[in-house]
């Protein structure tokens, strides 16, 4: 046998860094496959020397013995390789675990920050000055409302308690209302005097769409209807918004009919 360079061993070590769960047999296979490529990549004079050494009947001088630590001197070569793999795995695994844990922590922080930035709450008296009426104008006809008119209607709806709830999302950076919706509870004799929730006036500011704010509003309103003992919650929407409400768990049923008086 002829002497070989340390390059196959380096390739094998690199292979184990990439595949820490590989076995000793895979290591030997990797080294064996890499030898022909290493010899063919050498200059012509060196390749000829390798061929002469391989054909020569004279055996080269044996390599000096490798001094091993006394605790592993009696261990077979394959066992030593497996031990090396275990050590490499132990040194690499914590790094990947640390990176994954850090990414999960950062993602949780981002979700918490997003939740705090766009939290859903009930309508307040001061929301008129934060663009609440202007936001409704993006949905339908909503003429200017004076402060007195807003206050009177706000107190009227507030007197209904949980039977009529208007929720909003405020952007705490711009101090503007950027999403809103409402639900009122209909008292029925049907279904053993059951309740039905009606969702109305859902709108998200055009500059902040695509951030799942509409879904947050719908979830808040449907959760409130469920907590009020409603056996169903219904709403009307345009054809363009049909897919959005289907993603929120709604399905098309029957046909809407309307008759305007004004």
């Amino acid at each position: 046998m002829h002497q070989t360079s340390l390059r196959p061993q380096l390739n094998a070590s690199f292979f184990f860094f990439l595949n820490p769960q590989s076995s000793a047999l895979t290591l030997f296979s990797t080294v064996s496959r890499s030898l022909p490529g290493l010899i063919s990549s050498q200059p012509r004079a060196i390749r000829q020397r390798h061929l002469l050494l391989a054909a020569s009947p004279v055996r080269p001088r044996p390599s000096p013995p490798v001094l091993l630590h006394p605790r592993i001197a009696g261990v077979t070569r394959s066992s030593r390789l497996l031990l090396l793999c275990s050590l490499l795995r132990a040194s690499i695994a914590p790094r990947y675990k640390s990176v994954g844990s850090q990414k999960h922590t950062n993602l949780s922080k981002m979700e918490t920050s997003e939740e705090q930035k766009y939290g859903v709450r009930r309508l307040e008296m001061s929301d008129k000055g934060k663009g609440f009426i202007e936001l409704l104008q993006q949905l339908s006809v909503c003429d200017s409302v004076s402060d007195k008119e807003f206050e009177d209607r706000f107190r009227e709806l507030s007197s209904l308690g949980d039977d009529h709830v208007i929720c909003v999302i405020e952007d705490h950076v711009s101090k503007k209302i950027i999403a809103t919706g409402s639900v009122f509870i209909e008292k029925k004799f049907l279904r053993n005097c059951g309740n039905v929730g009606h969702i109305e006036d859902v709108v998200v500011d055009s500059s902040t769409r695509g951030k799942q704010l509409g879904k947050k509003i719908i979830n808040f309103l449907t959760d409130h209807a469920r907590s009020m003992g409603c056996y169903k919650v219904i709403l009307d929407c345009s054809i363009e918004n049909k897919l959005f409400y289907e993603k929120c768990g709604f399905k098309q049923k029957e046909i809407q009919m309307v008759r305007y008086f004004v």
Side-chain angles (χ1 to χ4, degrees), residues 13 15-24 79 81-97:
S13 299
F15 178 82
F16 265 92
F17 273 108
L18 293 179
N19 303 274
Q21 295 182 350
S22 301
S23 64
S79 299
L81 290 174
L82 292 176
L83 178 60
L84 174 62
C85 296
S86 300
L87 294 176
L88 291 176
R89 252 194 330 265
S91 62
I92 293 175
R95 300 179 187 177
Y96 288 105
K97 184 178 181 180

Side-chain angles (χ1 to χ4, degrees), residues 28-241:
F28 293 138
S29 300
T30 305
V31 174
S32 300
R33 289 195 302 270
S34 63
L35 281 175
L38 290 173
I39 294 176
S40 61
S41 64
Q42 301 294 331
R44 182 176 180 181
I46 297 179
R47 291 202 306 269
Q48 291 178 351
R49 180 173 178 273
H50 278 293
L51 294 175
L52 289 174
L53 287 174
S56 175
V58 181
R59 298 177 60 87
R61 289 182 299 175
S63 302
V66 180
L67 297 179
L68 299 176
H69 192 279
R71 297 182 63 178
I72 62 173
V75 182
T76 62
R77 183 179 182 184
S78 59
S79 299
R80 291 199 298 270
L81 290 174
L82 292 176
L83 178 60
L84 174 62
C85 296
S86 300
L87 294 176
L88 291 176
R89 252 194 330 265
S91 62
I92 293 175
R95 300 179 187 177
Y96 288 105
K97 184 178 181 180
S98 176
V99 172
S101 177
Q102 184 177 1
K103 288 183 179 180
H104 179 74
T105 302
N106 293 339
L107 182 61
S108 300
K109 289 182 179 180
M110 290 176 60
E111 292 176 350
T112 303
S113 177
E114 192 77 6
E115 186 69 23
Q116 293 175 351
K117 185 178 180 181
Y118 297 122
V120 185
R121 62 170 174 80
R122 294 197 181 196
L123 180 71
E124 298 175 354
M125 182 79 74
S126 60
D127 289 336
K128 181 182 183 299
K130 297 179 180 179
F132 175 73
I133 298 299
E134 290 76 10
L135 178 62
L136 291 178
Q137 290 173 352
Q138 298 184 31
L139 178 65
S140 185
V141 177
C142 184
D143 297 329
S144 59
V145 179
S146 66
D147 292 344
K148 181 66 168 57
E149 291 172 334
F150 184 87
E151 180 179 353
D152 291 344
R153 179 52 54 91
F154 180 84
R155 295 188 184 282
E156 178 185 356
L157 295 177
S158 297
S159 65
L160 300 176
D162 290 334
D163 287 341
H164 195 123
V165 171
I166 301 176
C167 67
V168 298
I169 295 179
E170 177 183 354
D171 186 346
H172 294 287
V173 176
S174 63
K175 303 299 182 182
K176 292 292 184 180
I177 302 300
I178 56 176
T180 184
S182 64
V183 60
F184 69 90
I185 309 302
E186 176 190 4
K187 311 291 185 179
K188 304 177 74 69
F189 285 104
L190 295 175
R191 298 291 185 101
N192 297 321
C193 296
N195 298 334
V196 174
H198 293 259
I199 292 179
E200 292 280 352
D201 303 338
V202 177
V203 58
V204 177
D205 187 83
S206 58
S207 63
T208 57
R209 290 171 188 171
K211 298 182 178 180
Q212 304 293 316
L213 302 184
K215 188 174 182 179
K216 287 187 175 183
I217 292 291
I218 293 298
N219 289 341
F220 181 91
L221 298 176
T222 53
D223 287 345
H224 177 74
R226 185 183 294 108
S227 69
M228 293 294 293
C230 295
Y231 68 88
K232 70 176 180 179
V233 60
I234 60 178
L235 57 83
D236 297 324
C237 71
S238 62
I239 299 298
E240 293 77 11
N241 293 328

